[in-house]
Amino acid sequence: MLYRFLADLAVVVHFGFIIFVVLGGLMVLRWPRLAWAHVPAFLWGSGISVFGWICPLTYLENQWRARGAAEGYHTSFIEEYILPLVYPETLFGTFPRSGFILIGIFVLVVNCAIYWACWQRRQHIEQERTEEAPHDT
C-alpha cells in the first residue's frame, strides 16, 4: 500500500511540475522572483520533450509501482485519470515523437512570449519612473 501511495504521489508531483512548466510564466507576471525557479523548469521540461529524455520522476514512479504491484487496488484515481495526462503517448497517433517535439517547442514559445511580455512591462515601468523623476536644472 505504501509503494502504491508513493507512486501516486510521484505522479501528482510530476503533474504539478508539468503545470508549472507550462503555466508558471503567468505566475512570474505576478511574482517576478519566481523566474529563478521557472526558467530552469521550463527549459528542463522542453528539453525532455524535444530530445526524448526521461524524467527521473518516471523512473522513481515505475520503481514504486513495481514494488507495490500486489498491494491494494488494481488502479487508482491517479493511474486512471492523471497518468494519461502525464504520459500522453497515444495523443499523437502514429507520430508520438514528433508530437512530443511539438509540445517542447510549444512550451518554449509560450514561455518566451510570457518572459518577453514581462521584460516589456518592466521596461515600460522603468520608462515611466524616469519620466516622472524630477529633473535637475
Side-chain angles (χ1 to χ4, degrees), residues 5-95:
F5 170 77
L6 291 172
D8 284 350
L9 182 62
V11 172
V12 169
V13 169
H14 210 167
F15 186 64
F17 182 78
I18 291 168
I19 298 286
F20 182 65
V21 163
V22 176
L23 301 175
L26 297 174
M27 295 170 67
V28 170
L29 289 171
R30 174 70 175 99
W31 300 288
R33 290 184 182 181
L34 192 58
W36 290 104
H38 184 250
V39 169
F42 92 75
L43 291 174
W44 172 258
S46 296
I48 283 177
S49 288
V50 169
F51 298 113
W53 301 333
I54 297 176
C55 179
L57 282 173
T58 302
Y59 292 118
L60 189 60
E61 179 213 335
N62 288 340
Q63 180 182 5
W64 285 336
R65 276 225 195 277
R67 287 187 178 187
E71 300 175 0
Y73 304 103
H74 177 65
T75 62
S76 66
F77 174 85
I78 303 296
E79 288 176 278
E80 189 70 27
Y81 299 105
I82 305 298
L83 213 51
L85 297 173
V86 174
Y87 307 109
E89 282 86 9
T90 59
L91 184 64
F92 303 106
T94 58
F95 303 105

Side-chain angles (χ1 to χ4, degrees), residues 86-133:
V86 174
Y87 307 109
E89 282 86 9
T90 59
L91 184 64
F92 303 106
T94 58
F95 303 105
R97 187 70 209 114
S98 62
F100 281 97
I101 291 170
L102 289 174
I103 286 174
I105 292 169
F106 172 78
V107 167
L108 281 173
V109 168
V110 165
N111 283 291
C112 286
I114 289 170
Y115 280 93
W116 182 80
C118 287
W119 183 77
Q120 289 289 95
R121 181 178 169 196
R122 180 173 224 166
Q123 293 297 318
H124 180 72
I125 290 169
E126 287 178 12
Q127 183 180 5
E128 285 180 351
R129 285 182 185 159
T130 303
E131 291 173 359
E132 292 174 2

